[in-house]
Amino acid sequence: MVDAARAAKMADRIKVIVAKTLERGIRDPRLGFVTITDVRVTGDLQHASIFFTVYGTDEERIDSAAALKSATGLVRREVGKNLTARLTPSIEFIPDGIPENAALIESLLTEAHLRDASIGSLKQNATYAGDEDPYVKPRDFAAEEDAAGFDDDANDDDSDDDAVYESKDDGGNS
């Protein structure tokens, strides 16, 4: 097995070579605005998968894919001349699904936004199923006693109690 770093470097080099070859070397009128998005090389450096996108309509994509398929030999020859490897990897052009995936993600985001808006309108008229604040809070005993009518503080008046004790004390000494 080859080092993964070497395979990554080779993939980057193949990407540059293929892009230059497509820009200068291929004169096929079917070839549209092609962008090489990624290159993946197998661990043994024997096969390179080249991912591409085409800017345009579906018909232009199909024509560009056919042009790339017919130019595979020319591209492989250029890769072999410019690559410092013992063997030239076989080449396969694969249409990249980035535009389709981006359109799918965009439609999913739009759908999520619409669902959020509909939930927001339901939220305005919503009421709680149970208590408004369902969390348990510590008991406030003083508030509960006040609500029940208990008044322990009225008997705690020190001036009344002292007067009673003073009269008892004064009465016994006289």
Side-chain angles (χ1 to χ4, degrees):
M1 292 305 277
V2 175
D3 186 23
R6 181 169 183 220
K9 285 180 186 179
M10 182 180 249
D12 288 340
R13 183 71 184 138
I14 290 173
K15 184 177 180 179
V16 170
I17 294 168
V18 171
K20 286 182 181 178
T21 303
L22 291 178
E23 182 181 342
R24 297 184 187 142
I26 297 178
R27 303 281 184 238
D28 196 337
R30 298 177 295 176
L31 192 63
F33 187 69
V34 176
T35 303
I36 304 300
T37 57
D38 193 19
V39 176
R40 294 189 186 150
V41 179
T42 58
D44 59 357
L45 306 178
Q46 295 296 311
H47 183 73
S49 299
I50 302 171
F51 295 91
F52 69 95
T53 60
V54 179
Y55 182 74
T57 63
D58 288 335
E59 183 180 327
E60 290 172 338
R61 289 182 186 136
I62 293 170
D63 289 344
S64 293
L68 288 172
K69 184 171 180 155
S70 67
T72 301
L74 174 72
V75 172
R76 184 169 186 235
R77 185 179 72 217
E78 287 298 318
V79 168
K81 284 195 310 187
N82 294 314
L83 200 63
T84 56
R86 187 170 58 99
L87 297 172
T88 302
S90 62
I91 292 177
E92 176 185 16
F93 287 100
I94 301 171
D96 202 352
I98 289 176
E100 292 82 14
N101 289 342
L104 175 64
I105 290 171
E106 184 66 31
S107 68
L108 291 173
L109 287 174
T110 302
E111 181 182 345
H113 180 67
L114 292 173
R115 285 185 181 183
D116 285 346
S118 67
I119 289 173
S121 65
L122 291 173
K123 182 180 173 182
Q124 291 175 353
N125 301 329
T127 59
Y128 291 102
D131 290 337
E132 197 168 311
D133 189 9
Y135 297 105
V136 176
K137 294 183 180 39
R139 291 178 66 181
D140 186 9
F141 292 108
E144 290 178 11
E145 289 176 356
D146 289 342
F150 294 121
D151 190 17
D152 290 339
D153 294 336
N155 294 335
D156 291 342
D157 189 18
D158 291 337
S159 62
D160 293 339
D161 292 340
D162 290 341
V164 171
Y165 293 124
E166 286 175 13
S167 64
K168 289 182 182 178
D169 290 338
D170 289 340
N173 291 339
S174 333

